[in-house]
Amino acid sequence: MDRIDVKILSYLQEDCRMPISTLADKVGLSTSACHRRIKLLESGGQISGYVARLDAKALGYSIEIFVEITLHSQSEDTLEQFEIAVQKAPEISECHLMAGQADYLLRVVAQNVADYEQIHRNALSRLPGVAHMQSSFSLRTVRPWAGVPVIQR
Amino acid sequence: MDRIDVKILSYLQEDCRMPISTLADKVGLSTSACHRRIKLLESGGQISGYVARLDAKALGYSIEIFVEITLHSQSEDTLEQFEIAVQKAPEISECHLMAGQADYLLRVVAQNVADYEQIHRNALSRLPGVAHMQSSFSLRTVRPWAGVPVIQR
DNA sequence: CAATAAAATCGAATATTATTCCAATAATCT
DNA sequence: AGATTATTGGAATAATATTCGATTTTATTG
């Protein structure tokens, strides 16, 4: 992982469809050398995949909500049951086990407020072990997720 | 946006490097028809780009923190100054203007606790207008961001 | 319901890009 | 310095994307 690898990663994190020859120019390498480095970053696990970024708004998802979840207990079994249920709920876009106040932080996208109400009632509140939920609505995304900061420090 | 488009989107959201011919098979179309639909989804804005997904752990970023920010005031000027500063801080991976308790929700990834302390002191606490910050650490990602839920409802 | 128009599809030809391979160069080690 | 190893560059090949015209399907209208 030298300076060139960092450049490669940050370009690919922005646009992974650019031809290797173009990327090679940007980082100052030949196509084949650049290609080899990319393959090493893939097999080394630094690059975990290539995905299309979808526009939530364009797909009709206009609101985004962060939900803090507190469970009845923090027993291993309670946590496990909760997590199994989370994996099965497509409405939940993301889930973290947290230190501090709440036990879990969920992230949900919904078509509109009515849609969210439905998700809240039919999916979230039915998750096993939930004692308390607090929803926080995102009014506007100031800075969308731009990936892992591959900066040299 | 019919059922086939939905399939295309959800496959591409998982893996955008698969050959169009492979994707075409999966959705039951010829290569050229599938190609045409993809181009329409791109120009229609449903697909906003193609990016490499980097593995934060593999790049040495072992911790992830959600930071709730409360500002001194909610005047337009205060908000604007804050947001301008956020855009310039590469340490901040994501930022939302929120309804409810806190004014903003930030997301930060850091190499370790010492690294985060440094970010907290040198970057976050120097953002203009900050009255209060509350950091919540993710202990484990139960379910990583899997994209916009392109399910038929 | 039939006739027409519009849109979507398919398969083949072409263009672009990825991948492989080997000789040459640069970096590392003793 | 000399030997060894890793990295690079360029050309040949393989794979994939893109284009195009003919055909089929779907939608529209009288």
Side-chain angles (χ1 to χ4, degrees):
Chain A
M1 277 288 298
D2 59 6
R3 197 145 302 171
I4 294 182
D5 283 328
V6 168
K7 276 193 187 179
I8 290 175
L9 290 176
S10 55
Y11 279 119
L12 288 179
Q13 189 167 227
E14 296 248 319
D15 174 14
C16 71
R17 281 289 178 94
M18 99 180 57
I20 296 182
S21 54
T22 306
L23 180 58
D25 282 347
K26 287 182 190 284
V27 305
L29 278 181
S30 71
T31 299
S32 57
C34 187
H35 177 263
R36 185 174 167 279
R37 278 173 179 261
I38 293 171
K39 291 300 152 191
L40 285 174
L41 290 167
E42 289 170 1
S43 59
Q46 286 89 354
I47 296 174
S48 60
Y50 298 93
V51 301
R53 185 184 288 168
L54 306 188
D55 184 319
K57 289 254 167 62
L59 293 170
Y61 291 91
S62 62
I63 61 174
E64 184 152 14
I65 308 97
F66 291 88
V67 189
E68 289 177 297
I69 303 271
T70 308
L71 299 186
H72 286 304
S73 93
Q74 282 72 42
S75 74
E76 198 174 318
D77 191 57
T78 307
L79 300 183
E80 193 179 324
Q81 290 308 311
F82 178 82
E83 294 186 15
I84 289 170
V86 163
Q87 302 289 2
K88 290 183 189 156
E91 298 87 353
I92 299 172
S93 299
E94 193 175 347
C95 173
H96 293 266
L97 173 64
M98 303 297 288
Q101 316 282 59
D103 293 315
Y104 288 95
L105 180 64
L106 307 185
R107 182 174 186 156
V108 176
V109 295
Q111 311 254 5
N112 48 54
V113 178
D115 184 30
Y116 182 63
E117 192 208 336
Q118 200 259 332
I119 292 171
H120 189 276
R121 198 176 49 230
N122 295 333
L124 304 186
S125 68
R126 287 181 187 170
L127 292 168
V130 173
H132 182 249
M133 294 199 291
Q134 184 185 319
S135 301
S136 300
F137 286 71
S138 167
L139 293 173
R140 179 165 47 83
T141 302
V142 176
R143 187 200 240 263
W145 172 252
V148 181
V150 274
I151 43 180
Q152 296 271 43
R153 255 184 291 196
Chain B
M1 277 287 299
D2 60 6
R3 196 143 304 168
I4 294 182
D5 283 329
V6 168
K7 276 193 189 180
I8 290 175
L9 290 177
S10 55
Y11 280 119
L12 288 180
Q13 189 166 227
E14 296 248 320
D15 174 13
C16 71
R17 281 286 179 96
M18 99 178 61
I20 297 182
S21 54
T22 305
L23 179 58
D25 282 346
K26 286 181 190 285
V27 304
L29 279 181
S30 71
T31 300
S32 56
C34 187
H35 176 263
R36 184 175 170 278
R37 279 173 179 261
I38 293 171
K39 291 299 152 190
L40 285 174
L41 290 168
E42 289 170 2
S43 58
Q46 286 89 353
I47 296 175
S48 60
Y50 298 94
V51 301
R53 185 184 289 168
L54 305 189
D55 183 318
K57 288 254 168 62
L59 294 169
Y61 291 91
S62 62
I63 61 174
E64 185 153 10
I65 309 98
F66 292 89
V67 189
E68 290 178 297
I69 302 271
T70 309
L71 299 185
H72 286 304
S73 94
Q74 282 73 41
S75 74
E76 199 176 317
D77 190 58
T78 307
L79 299 183
E80 195 180 322
Q81 291 307 312
F82 178 82
E83 292 186 15
I84 289 171
V86 164
Q87 301 289 3
K88 290 183 190 157
E91 298 87 354
I92 299 171
S93 299
E94 195 174 346
C95 173
H96 293 266
L97 173 64
M98 303 296 289
Q101 315 283 57
D103 294 314
Y104 288 95
L105 180 63
L106 308 185
R107 182 175 187 157
V108 176
V109 295
Q111 311 255 7
N112 47 54
V113 177
D115 184 31
Y116 181 62
E117 193 207 335
Q118 199 259 333
I119 292 171
H120 188 277
R121 197 176 51 228
N122 295 333
L124 305 186
S125 68
R126 289 181 187 169
L127 292 168
V130 172
H132 183 246
M133 295 199 291
Q134 185 185 320
S135 301
S136 300
F137 286 71
S138 167
L139 293 173
R140 179 164 48 82
T141 302
V142 175
R143 189 200 238 263
W145 172 251
V148 181
V150 274
I151 45 181
Q152 296 270 43
R153 251 185 295 197

